[in-house]
Amino acid sequence: MSDKQKIDKTRRNLVIATSVAGGAASVGAAIPFVASMLPSERTKAAGAPVEVDISTIAPGELKVFEWRGKPVWVIRRTPDMLASLKKAAGNLTDPASKASLQPGYAANEYRSLKPDVMVMEGVCTHLGCSPQMKTADDKAEMGADWAGGFYCACHGSKFDLAGRVFRGAPAPTNLVVPPYTFLSDSTLLIGDDKKGA
Ligand code: FES
């Protein structure tokens, strides 16, 4: 073998060794990543609490988050929206939420920890469809008395802006309020109410 051939062979071996080392490094790096992802995905599916930023929710706006595979709505209620709750009270199936599901701290006239921040599951208590928000401007569709709330198109249940169901609707109870807490003014923890500010 000539000197040139020897040098070429050494170079080839070096290239092969480098590729193998590179491959091993990638595999080595990938395993901890996958291992660290899987348990957290599993925990999420099992219902681990989710931390959500509510700082960008404008007054009157609703944002949807996900907890335990369900939509959870967070609505920033305006003073007008809060006033509409008092007007609705006479037309509701369970105005004081006695037969409905919510944590004790949300068993009040606003069904919430802070009046302006409403948190509830966006799942109709009739057969599980997801209702849609209808504002006070949707009177043409919802009726002259409509002051804002939610409408379930599946079988026509209507709810006010605290998720309380209107009388005569097929949904038997108010929308469910999940456990939650404020970690700060702008951060909510949904699914756990033991920690927090
Ligand atoms: S599922 Fe909402 S009214 Fe039937």
Side-chain angles (χ1 to χ4, degrees):
M1 195 181 286
S2 71
D3 281 355
K4 184 171 179 309
Q5 280 173 321
K6 276 186 202 157
I7 290 169
D8 283 351
K9 191 172 176 214
T10 309
R11 272 198 194 136
R12 239 191 347 266
N13 287 346
L14 270 176
V15 170
I16 290 166
T18 311
S19 310
V20 170
S26 310
V27 170
I31 288 169
F33 178 70
V34 170
S36 76
M37 287 302 287
L38 288 178
S40 109
E41 290 304 311
R42 273 200 297 269
T43 333
K44 230 163 115 186
V50 287
E51 206 174 302
V52 301
D53 177 11
I54 60 166
S55 62
T56 58
I57 306 180
E61 196 187 8
L62 173 153
K63 276 209 172 153
V64 185
F65 299 95
E66 188 187 335
W67 173 63
R68 290 191 171 172
K70 292 182 279 195
V72 174
W73 298 335
V74 180
I75 303 132
R76 180 86 64 186
R77 291 183 296 201
T78 62
D80 278 356
M81 290 167 120
L82 292 172
S84 78
L85 300 180
K86 292 202 193 323
K87 284 187 221 146
N91 301 318
L92 303 170
T93 300
D94 184 18
S97 296
K98 293 207 162 85
S100 302
L101 284 177
Q102 63 277 306
Y105 47 81
N108 53 49
E109 60 180 318
Y110 299 114
R111 299 192 79 217
S112 60
L113 273 172
K114 295 185 183 182
D116 61 325
V117 179
M118 180 70 211
V119 181
M120 61 185 147
E121 295 181 10
V123 180
C124 183
T125 52
H126 180 220
L127 294 176
C129 292
S130 194
Q132 284 183 316
M133 190 174 187
K134 299 285 179 189
T135 70
D137 295 335
D138 292 316
K139 285 188 173 49
E141 183 189 353
M142 301 301 294
D145 290 348
W146 185 251
F150 302 90
Y151 177 64
C152 183
C154 285
H155 312 95
S157 292
K158 294 178 184 176
F159 305 85
D160 74 356
L161 287 161
R164 297 177 302 176
V165 66
F166 280 92
R167 223 179 272 137
T173 51
N174 302 335
L175 299 179
V176 174
V177 177
Y180 69 94
T181 191
F182 285 86
L183 298 179
S184 70
D185 280 348
S186 59
T187 311
L188 270 185
L189 188 66
I190 297 170
D192 186 352
D193 48 18
K194 305 292 180 294
K195 317 175 186 174

